[in-house]
Each structure stands twice: as structure tokens, then as C-alpha cells.
């Protein structure tokens, strides 16, 4: 398991597939109960692609509808720091 931050991680499904997961609220189809859990948000064939997907997800989730170039550059630098300071668990 590779934790990018508290709400985003990469999980190895098998030898050829990685899954990007986000920690978010989910509603049970059977009971209607809302819980917070890890949910898949993308599948990747290699770690580079998964990290790129995580970078894009964080960037687009963090950006507001309107932003300046200066704010966008600061956001990109913040996301890059989070990705390069990841925790790896086995």
C-alpha cells in the first residue's frame, strides 16, 4: 500500500494492476447507511501511471472553478511535495 496523503492511496490488486483509492463517504445500497471508506477511483498498470493519476486527482479536486496561474503553480508544488513524501506499507 502506498499512502499519498490521509485521503488518497495506491493499492496493489495483483501483479499487473494497481488501484487508486480515495477515502470518502459512501452510502450502502442495502441499508442506506452512510459510512466513510476507501473507494476505488482508477486502475493503472504501473506505479508511474498511478502516481500521475494521483497527481491529477489532487490537482483537480483542490482547484476551484476559477484560479490564477500563481495559485495553480503553488497548488502543483504542494501536490508534488505530498506525492514525493509518501509512506509505503507492505
Amino acid at each position: 500500500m502506498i499512502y499519498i496523503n490521509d485521503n488518497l492511496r495506491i493499492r496493489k490488486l495483483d501483479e499487473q494492476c494497481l488501484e487508486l483509492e480515495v477515502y470518502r463517504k459512501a452510502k450502502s445500497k442495502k441499508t442506506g447507511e452512510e459510512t466513510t471508506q476507501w473507494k476505488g477511483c482508477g486502475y493503472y498498470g504501473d506505479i508511474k501511471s498511478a502516481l500521475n493519476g494521483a497527481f491529477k486527482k489532487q490537482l483537480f479536486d483542490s482547484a476551484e472553478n476559477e484560479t490564477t496561474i500563481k495559485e495553480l503553480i503553488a497548488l502543483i508544488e504542494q501536490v508534488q511535495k505530498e506525492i514525493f513524501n509518501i509512506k509505503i506499507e507492505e
Side-chain angles (χ1 to χ4, degrees):
M1 201 79 58
I2 300 172
Y3 288 86
I4 296 177
N5 59 31
D6 292 337
N7 298 318
L8 199 59
R9 73 182 185 185
I10 299 171
R11 182 170 68 106
K12 182 178 177 181
L13 295 178
D14 58 31
E15 294 302 316
Q16 299 178 345
C17 190
L18 302 170
E19 181 179 28
L20 184 61
E21 294 182 319
V22 64
Y23 194 65
R24 64 177 174 90
K25 291 183 181 180
K27 189 180 245 185
S28 170
K29 291 180 183 177
K30 292 181 181 179
T31 64
E33 183 180 330
E34 193 171 276
T35 60
T36 306
Q37 56 187 294
W38 289 102
K39 300 295 280 183
C41 62
Y43 298 96
Y44 301 91
D46 59 50
I47 191 71
K48 181 180 178 182
S49 298
L51 288 171
N52 192 26
F55 175 76
K56 288 179 182 177
K57 173 138 184 64
Q58 283 188 293
L59 184 62
F60 286 111
D61 286 353
S62 299
E64 297 179 13
N65 290 337
E66 293 184 23
T67 187
T68 65
I69 295 295
K70 186 176 181 179
E71 292 170 337
L72 185 58
I73 290 170
L75 181 59
I76 289 170
E77 289 172 353
Q78 176 189 348
V79 170
Q80 283 177 328
K81 285 178 187 175
E82 286 184 12
I83 288 176
F84 289 117
N85 291 320
I86 56 177
K87 299 176 281 181
I88 300 174
E89 284 186 8
E90 295 202 31

